[in-house]
Amino acid sequence: MKHIANRAFKIILLSLLSILAFILFLMMVAKFLDIRPFISWGSKTFSNYEIQIQEPLDVNYYPDLEVSTKNILLVKNKNKNAILHLNNIDFQLDSKRLVTEGLFIVNLNINEFALDIKSNFSGSITGQIDLNGQGNSWGELKKNLYGNLSFVMDNGRWHDNDIWYNLRLARSIYKRDETPLPSNHEVMQDFTINASGSIKNSIFINDAFKMTMPFTEIDGTGTINLYNGEIDYSIEAFFKPQLKEILNLSESEYLDFSNDPVPIKIRNNSGNITFRPDIEKIFRDEVEGNLLKHEDIFNDMIKMNLTQ
């Protein structure tokens, strides 16, 4: 899908004449013909996926190019499995400024999407997204997107990776404890994620992140760069008493994941997800805690002087 989009926009950007010709061609074809079979054939021919548009396209041309439809499926050519379902899509392009100035100004609203992921990381994602942006090129546009995104991931599983182990490893680095042993794989680490936030400069600012696993609650905030895929999260994991026996936790380790969890930083470096102590947040929390303690002491001193 990404390959098709990049190739299409490279062709469009060759000249203003080619842009104009493309828009005029789309206007003429859509006015007299159902172009959904053409889109389906083109996507299937030039990629590993087929775009199936189940509902008629509603196209308007003036003053902006506006396209609305429902029920779009992205289907793998190999096994015919639908991996992406888009519902209630509204797309708007300022075609006048694109032709006269070469400026991309777009708005995209997807009221509902559903995505199935099946790789080393699997799950079912549903959500909605509202995007707008502008740029002098397709590449510049991709770096200047704004809007909102919210989604839920169910039946999530990180294959060949041990989330509990990574959380405990980050804590052991900070506490300078022994490296923990891998978790018992008989206990499945399925999870659910709820996330929502705004998008600024193509960066998803996730200020409400919650992940639920067996006997585990993970809360945090972070960012995802939608342009290059970089992630940067700070989380805190809360273990329930059942995990103390399941993971064979020491008393101090259990307390560090229950009473006062150690903040953990999650990033992707060179494509690999890393879990490390969030030293910046740990330091900030300690400073704030000390300030509150001194404030309480100061208030107690004032009260004592007033009562004397």
Side-chain angles (χ1 to χ4, degrees), residues 242-273:
Q242 295 91 325
L243 271 188
K244 186 176 181 181
E245 181 177 353
I246 293 173
L247 300 179
N248 194 25
L249 303 176
S250 66
E251 188 66 28
S252 62
E253 191 176 14
Y254 173 68
L255 290 175
D256 284 338
F257 283 110
S258 55
N259 291 353
D260 191 15
V262 175
I264 295 173
K265 176 70 73 172
I266 300 179
R267 287 176 172 160
N268 59 338
N269 298 317
S270 302
N272 296 318
I273 303 294

Side-chain angles (χ1 to χ4, degrees), residues 134-154:
Q134 69 176 52
N136 291 315
S137 66
W138 173 241
E140 185 177 315
L141 172 65
K142 291 191 293 183
K143 297 179 182 180
N144 291 282
L145 296 175
Y146 294 80
N148 296 282
L149 169 65
S150 62
F151 67 88
V152 175
M153 182 174 187
D154 291 313

Side-chain angles (χ1 to χ4, degrees), residues 10 26 38 167:
K10 284 179 181 178
L26 180 63
F38 174 77
L167 294 171

Side-chain angles (χ1 to χ4, degrees), residues 168-180 250-254 256:
R168 296 171 65 198
L169 179 62
R171 177 256 176 205
S172 71
I173 293 172
Y174 175 65
K175 294 289 185 175
R176 298 184 180 179
D177 279 357
E178 294 182 2
T179 301
S250 66
E251 188 66 28
S252 62
E253 191 176 14
Y254 173 68
D256 284 338

Side-chain angles (χ1 to χ4, degrees), residues 213-281:
M213 292 174 55
F215 315 117
T216 308
E217 297 288 339
I218 299 174
D219 297 319
T221 60
T223 61
I224 302 175
N225 190 313
L226 302 179
Y227 178 73
N228 59 25
E230 291 182 355
I231 67 172
D232 188 348
Y233 272 76
S234 180
I235 65 167
E236 293 181 348
F238 299 83
F239 289 176
K240 296 182 180 179
Q242 295 91 325
L243 271 188
K244 186 176 181 181
E245 181 177 353
I246 293 173
L247 300 179
N248 194 25
L249 303 176
S250 66
E251 188 66 28
S252 62
E253 191 176 14
Y254 173 68
L255 290 175
D256 284 338
F257 283 110
S258 55
N259 291 353
D260 191 15
V262 175
I264 295 173
K265 176 70 73 172
I266 300 179
R267 287 176 172 160
N268 59 338
N269 298 317
S270 302
N272 296 318
I273 303 294
T274 61
F275 291 68
R276 292 292 184 269
D278 190 345
I279 301 299
E280 181 181 340
K281 189 174 190 306

Side-chain angles (χ1 to χ4, degrees), residues 40-60:
S40 177
W41 172 84
S43 60
K44 183 169 58 175
T45 302
F46 298 104
S47 77
N48 295 322
Y49 303 93
E50 178 184 1
I51 300 174
Q52 298 179 358
I53 304 175
Q54 308 292 315
E55 303 286 339
L57 288 170
D58 182 11
V59 183
N60 295 313

Side-chain angles (χ1 to χ4, degrees), residues 18-297:
S18 64
I19 295 171
L20 179 60
F22 175 77
I23 294 175
L24 291 174
F25 173 75
L26 180 63
M27 291 172 64
M28 290 187 297
V29 172
K31 186 174 180 65
F32 300 105
L33 298 173
D34 183 358
I35 64 172
R36 290 177 297 167
F38 174 77
I39 295 174
S40 177
W41 172 84
S43 60
K44 183 169 58 175
T45 302
F46 298 104
S47 77
N48 295 322
Y49 303 93
E50 178 184 1
I51 300 174
Q52 298 179 358
I53 304 175
Q54 308 292 315
E55 303 286 339
L57 288 170
D58 182 11
V59 183
N60 295 313
Y61 306 105
Y62 186 83
D64 298 319
L65 176 62
E66 298 177 347
V67 180
S68 299
T69 189
K70 296 180 179 180
N71 297 332
I72 294 181
L73 298 177
L74 184 65
V75 179
K76 269 191 172 183
N77 290 340
K78 187 175 181 180
N79 53 24
K80 303 303 179 182
N81 289 335
I83 62 171
L84 177 64
H85 177 208
L86 306 177
N87 196 19
N88 294 328
I89 302 172
D90 294 301
F91 174 79
Q92 184 180 56
L93 170 69
D94 190 330
S95 51
K96 179 180 178 181
R97 297 191 66 180
L98 177 61
V99 172
T100 59
E101 303 175 33
L103 184 64
F104 288 87
I105 302 177
V106 301
N107 288 279
L108 173 66
N109 177 266
I110 302 176
N111 185 257
E112 180 184 355
F113 66 84
L115 173 65
D116 284 330
I117 303 174
K118 292 181 180 179
S119 60
N120 62 331
F121 189 83
S122 63
S124 299
I125 299 176
T126 57
Q128 57 185 25
I129 187 170
D130 185 18
L131 285 177
N132 64 81
Q134 69 176 52
N136 291 315
S137 66
W138 173 241
E140 185 177 315
L141 172 65
K142 291 191 293 183
K143 297 179 182 180
N144 291 282
L145 296 175
Y146 294 80
N148 296 282
L149 169 65
S150 62
F151 67 88
V152 175
M153 182 174 187
D154 291 313
N155 303 316
R157 184 175 295 179
W158 196 355
H159 301 282
D160 302 323
N161 215 314
D162 188 337
I163 298 176
W164 284 323
Y165 170 78
N166 281 289
L167 294 171
R168 296 171 65 198
L169 179 62
R171 177 256 176 205
S172 71
I173 293 172
Y174 175 65
K175 294 289 185 175
R176 298 184 180 179
D177 279 357
E178 294 182 2
T179 301
L181 295 174
S183 307
N184 183 352
H185 288 285
E186 293 180 2
V187 181
M188 304 305 294
Q189 298 187 33
D190 291 2
F191 57 82
T192 298
I193 291 177
N194 284 269
S196 62
S198 59
I199 298 171
K200 297 180 181 178
N201 292 319
S202 297
I203 295 177
F204 174 48
I205 304 171
N206 185 190
D207 48 17
F209 174 86
K210 188 173 186 64
M211 180 174 175
T212 303
M213 292 174 55
F215 315 117
T216 308
E217 297 288 339
I218 299 174
D219 297 319
T221 60
T223 61
I224 302 175
N225 190 313
L226 302 179
Y227 178 73
N228 59 25
E230 291 182 355
I231 67 172
D232 188 348
Y233 272 76
S234 180
I235 65 167
E236 293 181 348
F238 299 83
F239 289 176
K240 296 182 180 179
Q242 295 91 325
L243 271 188
K244 186 176 181 181
E245 181 177 353
I246 293 173
L247 300 179
N248 194 25
L249 303 176
S250 66
E251 188 66 28
S252 62
E253 191 176 14
Y254 173 68
L255 290 175
D256 284 338
F257 283 110
S258 55
N259 291 353
D260 191 15
V262 175
I264 295 173
K265 176 70 73 172
I266 300 179
R267 287 176 172 160
N268 59 338
N269 298 317
S270 302
N272 296 318
I273 303 294
T274 61
F275 291 68
R276 292 292 184 269
D278 190 345
I279 301 299
E280 181 181 340
K281 189 174 190 306
I282 291 171
F283 177 75
R284 186 170 61 248
D285 290 347
E286 288 180 352
V287 171
E288 291 176 355
N290 289 330
L291 288 175
L292 289 174
K293 287 179 181 178
H294 285 88
E295 183 179 348
D296 291 339
I297 294 172

